[in-house]
Amino acid sequence: MKHAVIVAHPVPGSFNGAVATTYANALSASGADVLVRDLYGIGFDPCLRAAELPVPNGHGPGPDVAAERVLLQDVDVFAFVYPFWFNAPPAILKGYVDRVFSMGFGYAPTFGGTEPQLKGRGLISFSSSGAPDAWVRSSGALAALQTVFDHHLAGVCGLTVVDHVHFGGIVSDITPEAVETMLDDVRATATRHFHTAQQAGSRSHR
């Protein structure tokens, strides 16, 4: 099983960076193939240009998007790791979805609509916020984001939403002990959802 861990945080040593590394390491330890895409690290351009729009005389995806799609073409599970900024993902992640998961990869045109192209693949998200977890949930902020960014994306592309793990109250003076407890949750999530499936897949290839 191949996983793509797509990270959207400008600081490699951030909590989000630690989540991505922990999750990737947990998957690798179980024998999974893991691809990490640090969007800030690779300098991904989130701006969808007019030439990329699926309209007559459009030129199609840019070379950076075409290369990205090649890397992702055999991925089984996409993992998004990002902070809440104004209760939404960073612009670089939204732009990544706009450009990479658009027509020609996430879905294809059909008569009167579109056809999902990523059926049978999964989507899992790890998000964080400075606001307490209880507030993010009680205010409806998390549910609203899941509706438009998890379930809508999954519906258009044919993905299955595996999970969305949110960590609230992430502030600069959070203790190392608290961070480690949260990273334990990341490891447990990887094991719960994928360790058994990975073992089964490995046995099937023996």
Side-chain angles (χ1 to χ4, degrees):
M1 181 174 283
K2 185 173 181 178
H3 299 250
V5 182
I6 301 163
V7 194
H9 197 286
V11 181
S14 66
F15 174 76
N16 284 265
V19 168
T21 298
T22 299
Y23 181 69
N25 288 344
L27 292 171
S28 296
S30 70
D33 185 8
V34 182
L35 170 71
V36 177
R37 304 301 288 156
D38 175 355
L39 300 187
Y40 284 94
I42 65 175
F44 183 79
D45 180 1
C47 295
L48 178 66
R49 311 294 177 182
E52 294 180 81
L53 294 174
V55 296
N57 301 319
H59 299 293
D64 58 337
V65 169
E68 200 69 20
R69 288 176 172 181
V70 169
L71 290 175
L72 301 179
Q73 63 184 350
D74 59 346
V75 166
D76 299 294
V77 182
F78 301 96
F80 291 164
V81 182
Y82 60 92
F84 273 26
W85 287 349
F86 285 90
N87 286 335
I92 198 169
L93 181 56
K94 179 58 167 63
Y96 187 85
V97 170
D98 288 346
R99 298 186 68 210
V100 176
F101 284 78
S102 57
M103 189 176 292
F105 182 76
Y107 57 91
T110 60
F111 181 75
T114 61
E115 177 69 24
Q117 296 294 292
L118 300 177
K119 292 179 180 178
R121 310 194 198 193
L123 171 66
I124 186 169
S125 301
F126 295 90
S127 58
S128 64
S129 66
D133 188 64
W135 182 90
V136 172
R137 295 180 186 280
S138 65
S139 67
L142 180 59
L145 181 139
Q146 288 176 298
T147 296
V148 300
F149 204 69
D150 292 13
H151 298 292
H152 178 70
L153 173 62
V156 170
C157 298
L159 299 165
T160 297
V161 176
V162 177
D163 204 346
H164 188 132
V165 180
H166 182 76
F167 300 103
I170 305 301
V171 292
S172 59
D173 60 349
I174 189 171
T175 67
E177 292 78 14
V179 169
E180 191 57 37
T181 296
M182 294 177 186
L183 295 182
D184 282 342
D185 288 343
V186 173
R187 297 182 187 96
T189 298
T191 299
R192 180 170 67 254
H193 290 300
F194 302 117
H195 184 62
T196 300
Q198 184 64 36
Q199 285 185 325
S202 297
R203 287 195 295 270
S204 69
H205 288 89
R206 289 176 183 172

